[in-house]
Amino acid sequence: MTNRVLVVDDDAAVRAALGQTLELADCDAITVGSFVAAKDLITPDFDGVILSDMRMPGRDGFHLLRYVREVDGDLPVILLTGEGDIPMAVQAMGEGAFDFLEKPCASVDLMAVVRRALKTRALVRENRALKSRLESGDPAARMIFGTSPQMEELRARARGVAATGAEVLVTGAPGGGISKVAEVIHLMSPRGQGAFVKRPAAGLTPDGFADLCRRAAGGSLYLDEIAALPSETQYAMLEALEQGLEARVLVGSVADLAEEAARGRFLADLFYRLDVMRVRIPALSERPEDIPVLFSHYVAQAAEQAGIAAPDIPQEHLAALMAQDWPGNARSLMSAAMRFVLGMPEEAAQSAELGLAEQLAQVERSLLIAALGRQNGHASAAAKALKLPRKTFYDKLARYGIRPEDYRR
């Protein structure tokens, strides 16, 4: 998250005091004495927030606010006011100021507002980066959402696998977007201009499989939930793959196909043939940092579908969402966004009703899972990344019922 704060105040002593307060709070303070000096720093690419005095010689805080609103309407401006300036500050809030503080203000009050503004700015910039990728990137950038290291790795993996032409097994938790990742692999492959034929594996007959292969010739055939493929069709599929097909075969599964094969519930030879290239989609619980960006994107999408303006999302609401496990992954987050747009945000309300200890426990559990996901399920590496003693780390895993092996790719 960005930590840059542009301080604009004509009083040198006040500037120095504000700068010192911000620096002690690990912020990167840039201090200037006038609107003229600040103007060149105020751009749509500025990654921080602005803290400005209301009353300054020449161009005052009102002028600065209006200039900022023209340059970037989403750039937070916090105004510092004297006792007699409060009506002006209230008016400024109506014109788009992020917040105002009455001078002199306590450091704790100042930093609470600044941190809230910085979080808002970081979210805006992440959303803009996501939108840019959606508009100008390749299929992996446009269709696979998330800014976490795990999702960057997933996009890279999809690009690499797409170029091979081999069979691909896409795995992940329910609601994680398995079929979408399979489509991305198709679109980025040499067969991307061909047909993408998608069909649930359940109930598919050998003749039906042969017909799908003909329809997908020159393109890709994707079978969803491959573990449900009838046994007679499994044998037919294995034989067809051994003889060679005109279509590339992609399959998806939320079940552990290796375990299904080991227990005799899936043809082992077919599993080994399909497991040439495996792509695993990390669960949302492994990457809670993606939740604010994803939720904001889904809210905008849902509002557009509903034909209404997208509502503002309070930081408290996003924090409550991040404290949840989301077993339904992106699909359930998408549904939550639609309910939020329609005025029914029950998930956050339920989370907000929890006590502090319960909310902290949920956040801690999410962080443990995220660390395991980043370290490919290796508990020792995850403990080191979190700077926890190994015993403490394992005690926490046991407390929350987390198994490291569930997060190995």
Side-chain angles (χ1 to χ4, degrees), residues 167 169 201 209 223 226-227 229-242 245 249 251 257 261 265-276:
E167 288 80 33
L169 169 61
F209 173 73
L223 297 181
I226 191 64
L229 189 69
S231 57
E232 64 273 18
T233 311
Q234 292 180 32
Y235 284 100
M237 184 176 183
L238 176 61
E239 183 179 355
L241 287 170
E242 295 291 350
L245 292 172
V249 174
V251 299
L257 211 57
R265 295 195 291 253
F266 192 83
L267 184 60
D269 285 347
L270 179 57
F271 163 66
Y272 294 128
R273 179 61 194 252
L274 294 174
D275 196 32
V276 177

Side-chain angles (χ1 to χ4, degrees), residues 1-5 20-28 47-51 76 78 98-99 101 106-123 315-316:
M1 186 181 78
T2 179
N3 66 347
R4 195 184 304 270
V5 182
Q20 184 177 40
T21 299
L22 292 165
E23 294 287 354
L24 288 172
D26 294 326
C27 288
D28 180 9
D47 61 353
V49 302
I50 298 172
L51 178 64
I78 304 164
F98 182 83
D99 208 337
L101 293 163
S107 297
V108 64
D109 296 330
L110 170 67
M111 292 314 305
V113 174
V114 167
R115 288 194 180 99
R116 186 159 50 87
L118 288 169
K119 287 180 181 178
T120 300
R121 185 59 174 168
L123 183 58
Q315 288 294 325
E316 296 78 7

Side-chain angles (χ1 to χ4, degrees), residues 63 85 92 109 140 148 150 178 192 207 212 219 263 268 327 331 356 392 394:
H63 183 87
D85 296 332
D109 296 330
S148 65
Q150 295 97 314
I178 291 176
D207 288 343
L212 290 174
R263 292 175 180 249
R331 190 171 297 154
L356 178 61
T392 303
Y394 279 106

